[in-house]
Amino acid sequence: MNYSANFHGDIVKKSILLCGYSFHLQRGVRGNKNSALPSYLFRLQTEGTCTVWLEGEEIEVEPGDLIMLKPGSSYELRIGGSGPKIASGDFYLFCQGAWIDEWWGRSEKPVKIRIELNETVLSLWRQIIKENRRLDEENVEMSEYLLRALCLSLDRAVEDTRTSGHRLYTALRMKQFIEEHAQSPFKIEDVARHVRLSVSRASHFFKESYRKTIMQYALEVRLSGAVERMKHTSMTLEQIADSCGFGSYTYFHRVFKKRYGASPTSFRKQERRLR
């Protein structure tokens, strides 16, 4: 059983049991709907789609969908539907502990809710992953505080979603459509049609809401997906370029170097040296 010292030197169970990022390109099943979860589970879909069995119901999951389950819940993840393209990326975290129990009881938690994929939540999740990779060098106190910060940030993201007005909701739907379709060819007309706006109105509305154009944001999503794959998978750079919707490795190389100041090859080598 995994134990560590808490903030005051006592011996306690570690709160974070498992944390990571996964990207799937093949059909498969994770979890077992006939078995009860032994801990809390948080899962945030960031790319592609999948199907999840939650509490006796099969639910389609898309980018921005946050799943929050308590111990004893039933859960099963299925990758790959009837379509020819299979792609699903997510951050996941299994945790336990007295503070999590207390935090969970403060308010009603949604089993599934669509939130904005904001950088605060993603950065905290990435930092927890990084700390847990340190194994014997892990700073348990830092991991505990990061977990608490993530939980509170998820609370805020959920509340923002629940209280957002129609204008924010429309902008969020456009943003989530781009996130869901960034890895495939799409047109501004597709985004506009999704929220029932004209092309000119949709373009102006999105830039006014997020200070960037629809295609600029699509490029950011593609680059972000590429970075996650480069850090956490063994896919080749050519596979990454194709799966992220760049069309060609040449184009991927050019826009990646412009954004990060290094070629994809150099960037990946540097990341591996830092692990």
Side-chain angles (χ1 to χ4, degrees), residues 41-43 67-68 91-93 95 103-104 125 151 154:
L41 167 61
F42 308 145
R43 183 183 184 279
I67 293 170
M68 305 175 75
F91 285 92
Y92 60 87
L93 187 149
C95 59
W103 167 76
W104 187 273
W125 221 309
C151 290
L154 291 176

Side-chain angles (χ1 to χ4, degrees), residues 117-184:
L117 291 171
N118 67 74
E119 193 55 35
T120 298
V121 168
L122 296 178
S123 293
L124 286 167
W125 221 309
R126 292 184 189 111
Q127 191 61 35
I128 293 173
I129 294 172
K130 186 175 180 180
E131 282 300 318
N132 276 258
R133 279 182 177 162
R134 294 179 183 273
L135 300 177
D136 293 339
E137 297 179 9
E138 177 191 356
N139 186 322
V140 176
E141 184 173 359
M142 179 178 289
S143 294
E144 294 288 331
Y145 279 124
L146 287 169
L147 175 60
R148 296 185 185 192
L150 176 63
C151 290
L152 297 175
S153 295
L154 291 176
D155 268 345
R156 177 171 292 177
V158 169
E159 184 62 25
D160 287 346
T161 297
R162 285 172 169 169
T163 59
S164 62
H166 177 71
R167 180 181 177 84
L168 180 59
Y169 178 66
T170 299
L172 183 59
R173 285 183 66 212
M174 294 174 68
K175 189 168 181 283
Q176 289 170 338
F177 181 90
I178 296 167
E179 291 163 354
E180 181 181 348
H181 294 86
Q183 283 74 43
S184 303

